[in-house]
Amino acid sequence: MRTIDMSVLQFFWLLLNVIFIDLLLAGDNAIVIGLAARKLPPATQKKAILYGTGGALLIRIAATIVVLWLLQVPWLLLIGGVMLVWIAYKLLVDQEDHAEVKAGTTLWGAIRTIIVADAAMGLDNVIAVAGAAQQHLLLVVLGLLISVPIVVWGSTLFIKLINKFPWIIYLGSAVLGYTASNMITEERKLAPYFTEHPALRILFIATVMAGILLTGYLQNRRAVSRREKAV
């Protein structure tokens, strides 16, 4: 894990990236929160959401710290970057079904469902946030502390915003693509080569971003075409 050693402008730029990525990938988590608590009385719902999200946040921070440590191991930054490329692509084309998320009938049952489901679904968030924060622990913690309350209380608005403006998803995938390719170029075994050839580094990052967006766009077009033929 790195210590903070950057300009104030760079710090806030990276923090905004962390918050944006976490919000973008938190749509599923917000749905899980709603599904898990939907059968509880309104007053109990608020407690389930608050306690469940608090527990999920603590687990997310702990998991991200572990990932930050693991990314110091040779070649794991490369592996994390490749995984993040897949996550960026999946963000564009994945349509997940949340029917398997059972609603809790008791306060602690709902809290347990929220925490377990968030932990199971949170790997993409953890890898993406660790990469976007460029392995700075303070940025990770601040980003999560800011974005999680937004997810809890403003998730419905954010999801509606994404549905109304689909280009936000493409922007998010581009940001993830940049983060992923930047992680790969910062892999200690590869960094000297990219440092010696800065033009190649820029070309590599641009190619990864363009590849994700083009592949996702074409896959979505094919999916729309199949649905139209099925009607």
Side-chain angles (χ1 to χ4, degrees):
M1 286 174 281
R2 301 178 185 177
T3 56
I4 294 294
D5 183 21
M6 61 181 78
S7 69
V8 174
L9 185 62
Q10 185 185 5
F11 176 85
F12 281 105
W13 173 250
L14 289 177
L15 181 60
L16 284 174
N17 267 355
V18 170
I19 294 170
F20 178 61
I21 286 174
D22 206 47
L23 286 175
L24 201 64
L25 294 175
D28 287 335
N29 305 68
I31 293 169
V32 166
I33 290 170
L35 289 175
R38 70 184 183 274
K39 288 187 177 179
L40 298 176
T44 311
Q45 273 184 0
K46 292 179 182 178
K47 289 182 181 179
I49 291 172
L50 184 62
Y51 297 152
T53 306
L57 173 61
L58 292 176
I59 292 174
R60 184 77 61 83
I61 291 175
T64 308
I65 290 172
V66 172
V67 170
L68 288 175
W69 176 74
L70 287 175
L71 289 179
Q72 305 301 312
V73 177
W75 297 114
L76 284 188
L77 202 59
L78 171 64
I79 294 170
V82 172
M83 289 178 66
L84 196 50
V85 169
W86 170 248
I87 291 166
Y89 168 75
K90 193 175 72 165
L91 178 66
L92 284 179
V93 302
D94 203 24
Q95 300 295 325
E96 291 188 279
D97 181 12
H98 298 87
E100 74 282 0
V101 179
K102 296 179 180 178
T105 54
T106 65
L107 173 62
W108 292 109
I111 291 171
R112 184 175 62 250
T113 299
I114 291 171
I115 293 175
V116 172
D118 185 85
M121 296 164 56
L123 180 62
D124 53 356
N125 302 59
V126 167
I127 294 172
V129 167
Q134 295 187 5
Q135 303 165 65
H136 292 291
L137 177 59
L138 179 59
L139 282 169
V140 168
V141 175
L142 281 178
L144 288 171
L145 288 176
I146 292 171
S147 59
V148 167
I150 297 174
V151 170
V152 176
W153 288 289
S155 56
T156 305
L157 176 62
F158 192 72
I159 291 169
K160 285 181 180 177
L161 196 63
I162 288 175
N163 289 334
K164 188 174 182 180
F165 303 106
W167 57 264
I168 294 176
I169 292 289
Y170 283 86
L171 175 63
S173 286
V175 172
L176 286 174
Y178 171 80
T179 301
S181 52
N182 194 57
M183 282 174 70
I184 293 170
T185 62
E186 288 188 347
E187 166 59 50
R188 276 180 286 177
K189 301 290 186 180
L190 303 176
Y193 181 77
F194 283 110
T195 302
E196 290 176 13
H197 305 86
L200 189 62
R201 179 178 180 273
I202 294 170
L203 180 62
F204 174 76
I205 291 174
T207 301
V208 170
M209 292 172 66
I212 291 168
L213 293 175
L214 181 61
T215 307
Y217 174 76
L218 292 175
Q219 180 63 27
N220 286 337
R221 285 285 299 273
R222 282 194 289 268
V224 170
S225 179
R226 283 196 297 268
R227 284 197 295 269
E228 288 175 349
K229 288 178 181 177
V231 175

